């Protein structure tokens, strides 16, 4: 939760003017810094972890079809030159990492498993948001229909409530198993007699 708080805290301090991102340097940034800063730090970390010089990295980028001289690599790493999207794609390809990983916080991005888990949490959150939106839309459509057909509202509401309860019970049973003390009913009855 602390990292989520830091993310929100950072987001609050980022926008000073319309269409311009300006980070308040005195605010608590945590591990989240700007994308370009992340890329610059990450490029240097990845290059040094492989024991490559800026010349070697430049050669690899050129072989992969991304025109880059050693001086440009050094300037990007030292934040003297901005990086464009095509170049970032080239660095990610040469390092064999996802572009999303390249722009992530360097301390986390260097831990591939952490980034995978963060991506999984983020993707699951997006799925729940889409599911919640679909549920709301479906419920609104049902409510609108039932407003025109009040004679079936009670039965429809009971059906929806029962179906949701059954789905929730099924999910809980699948996720956590039976509650302590709950035993599935024996198919031959409580005493085992046929």
């Amino acid at each position: 939760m602390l990292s989520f708080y830091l993310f929100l805290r950072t987001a609050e301090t980022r926008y000073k003017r319309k269409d311009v991102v300006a980070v308040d340097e005195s605010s608590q940034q945590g591990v989240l810094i700007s994308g370009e800063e992340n890329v610059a730090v990450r490029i240097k970390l990845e290059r040094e972890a492989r024991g490559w010089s800026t010349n070697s990295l430049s050669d690899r980028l050129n072989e992969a079809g991304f025109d880059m001289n050693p001086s440009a690599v050094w300037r990007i790493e030292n934040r003297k030159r901005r990086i464009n999207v095509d170049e970032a794609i080239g660095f990610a390809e040469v390092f064999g990492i996802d572009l999303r990983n390249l722009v992530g916080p360097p301390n986390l991005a260097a831990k591939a498993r952490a980034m995978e888990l963060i991506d999984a949490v983020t993707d699951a959150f997006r799925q729940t948001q889409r599911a919640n939106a679909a549920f709301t839309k479906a419920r609104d459509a049902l409510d609108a229909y039932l407003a025109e057909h009040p004679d079936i509202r009670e039965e429809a509401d009971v059906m929806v409530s029962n179906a949701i309860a059954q789905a929730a019970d099924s999910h809980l049973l699948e996720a956590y198993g039976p509650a302590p003390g709950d035993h599935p009913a024996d198919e031959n009855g409580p005493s085992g007699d046929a």
Side-chain angles (χ1 to χ4, degrees), residues 108-188:
L108 289 177
K111 309 282 189 224
R113 182 66 178 146
M115 290 304 292
E116 288 172 15
L117 294 171
I118 289 167
D119 288 346
V121 168
T122 304
D123 291 344
F125 176 77
R126 287 185 185 121
Q127 290 173 7
T128 62
Q129 294 300 300
R130 285 191 292 273
N132 284 334
F135 173 77
T136 300
K137 184 177 179 179
R139 185 66 216 206
D140 289 348
L142 177 61
D143 287 342
Y145 181 83
L146 293 176
E148 296 172 5
H149 302 88
D151 54 312
I152 62 169
R153 175 174 281 286
E154 188 174 332
E155 291 176 77
D157 283 342
V158 168
M159 282 186 68
V160 168
S161 294
N162 288 343
I164 289 173
Q166 185 178 13
D169 285 346
S170 179
H171 169 72
L172 290 173
L173 184 61
E174 182 181 313
Y176 303 106
D182 283 357
H183 301 286
D186 188 333
E187 61 187 56
N188 292 329

